Amino acid sequence: MMTLAETLRAGKTVYSGWIATPEPLIAEIAARQGFDCVSMDMQHGLQDPISVMRSIGGVVHAGKPAGVRIPVGDFAMASRALDMGAELIIAPMINTIADAEALVAATKYPPIGERSWGPARSMMVHGNDPANQLATGNDTSVTLAMVETKEAVDIVDDILAIKGIDGVFMGPSDLSVALSDGKELAPGADWLDQPIAHIAERTRAAGKIAAAFAFNADRAKRFAGFGYQFIAMGPDAVYIASGIKTLLDGLR
Ligand code: 3PY
Ligand code: MG
């Protein structure tokens, strides 16, 4: 099976589930239902370290790669999620070079970063051995810095220039709030297209992975058209709500 990093490097577009509920079965169902990857959200979602660890097991058991969005500034959790078998780390609110460097330090082994050794669970779920884990760990982990503020957009080229940052993940909700000076939550607004396209363009120019959150399929297709290659859709409550709506509408 290809790793997520290999799939992305091969230029494929990856659609990821986005699981806020701390229940491994939901993550596993999202994987089995057809997402290319499943990401657990610890920032605004209700996931905790144990639910993340169990959810990664379910997702990998279903044959898909798992990602984790860590809480703001919790770089220790980034290392732990990789040790639990995640292939992708999404770090919110990376607004300074220091933030980006701390993220790399936590997610990449020396000489790129300072990731501490201890991937026992990761090696178990991926069938890896220590020598291979050390040799391939930096290439098989995908480190994405979220760009979702004015500060981050201003320094996006500098963030992308950091070795160990594999790409950026654009958050349209925070971006709309930040760029409207707190006046609008408008993740689907037309005026947001220009900065959204700009972030993808700069990321592609740097040869890195452009990733984004899309709240529906139309937005996902639009973002793919801008060059976004990893697109997360959700959260899981939306899947359940739309499934219930479809069932009940069928009664009418
Ligand atoms: C945002 O849109 O701000 C995000 O963080 C995506 O979940
Ligand atoms: Mg956000």
Side-chain angles (χ1 to χ4, degrees):
M1 195 177 91
M2 270 168 108
T3 65
L4 177 64
E6 284 168 338
T7 304
L8 290 167
R9 266 189 238 114
K12 300 216 172 69
T13 303
V14 171
Y15 293 98
S16 176
W18 194 256
I19 310 300
T21 308
E23 169 48 58
L25 266 180
I26 298 180
E28 184 172 333
I29 290 167
R32 293 193 187 281
Q33 198 57 38
F35 279 117
D36 306 309
C37 173
V38 177
S39 302
M40 274 55 76
D41 182 19
M42 303 182 80
Q43 184 195 11
H44 297 297
L46 305 172
Q47 300 276 1
D48 59 33
I50 298 300
S51 66
V52 164
M53 181 270 289
R54 292 182 177 149
S55 297
I56 290 170
V59 170
V60 175
H61 185 57
K64 299 289 171 64
V68 175
R69 177 163 77 168
I70 59 171
V72 174
D74 190 353
F75 300 117
M77 188 62 224
S79 300
R80 296 189 75 195
L82 292 174
D83 285 348
M84 291 169 182
E87 294 185 42
L88 166 77
I89 298 297
I90 301 162
M93 293 286 172
I94 299 297
N95 296 332
T96 65
I97 297 302
D99 291 341
E101 287 174 347
L103 172 61
V104 170
T107 53
K108 302 293 181 185
Y109 293 120
I112 299 174
E114 298 165 12
R115 181 176 167 196
S116 171
W117 182 259
R121 174 65 178 158
S122 173
M123 291 192 293
M124 192 189 299
V125 295
H126 295 297
N128 219 344
D129 62 64
N132 191 55
Q133 165 70 16
L134 183 59
T136 62
N138 285 347
D139 286 340
T140 55
S141 60
V142 179
T143 298
L144 299 182
M146 284 197 74
V147 169
E148 49 184 347
T149 63
K150 271 185 206 164
E151 294 80 358
V153 175
D154 287 346
I155 60 165
V156 68
D157 288 331
D158 303 315
I159 293 173
L160 285 161
I162 296 172
K163 192 171 167 65
I165 294 289
D166 297 307
V168 301
F169 187 110
M170 186 277 299
S173 290
D174 278 310
L175 195 64
S176 68
V177 172
L179 298 186
S180 69
D181 275 329
K183 291 191 190 69
E184 267 184 77
L185 172 65
D190 287 344
W191 63 262
L192 210 55
D193 273 1
Q194 192 277 328
I196 287 176
H198 170 75
I199 293 167
E201 186 271 315
R202 296 318 302 154
T203 308
R204 302 293 291 229
K208 296 196 169 178
I209 298 153
F213 181 84
F215 57 80
N216 65 28
D218 282 345
R219 294 302 284 169
K221 285 190 274 186
R222 191 162 186 77
F223 293 169
F226 290 149
Y228 286 95
Q229 213 196 323
F230 179 95
I231 301 172
M233 300 169 75
D236 54 310
V238 171
Y239 317 149
I240 296 170
S242 65
I244 293 169
K245 184 173 182 318
T246 302
L247 280 178
L248 293 181
D249 284 352
L251 295 176
R252 287 179 200 122

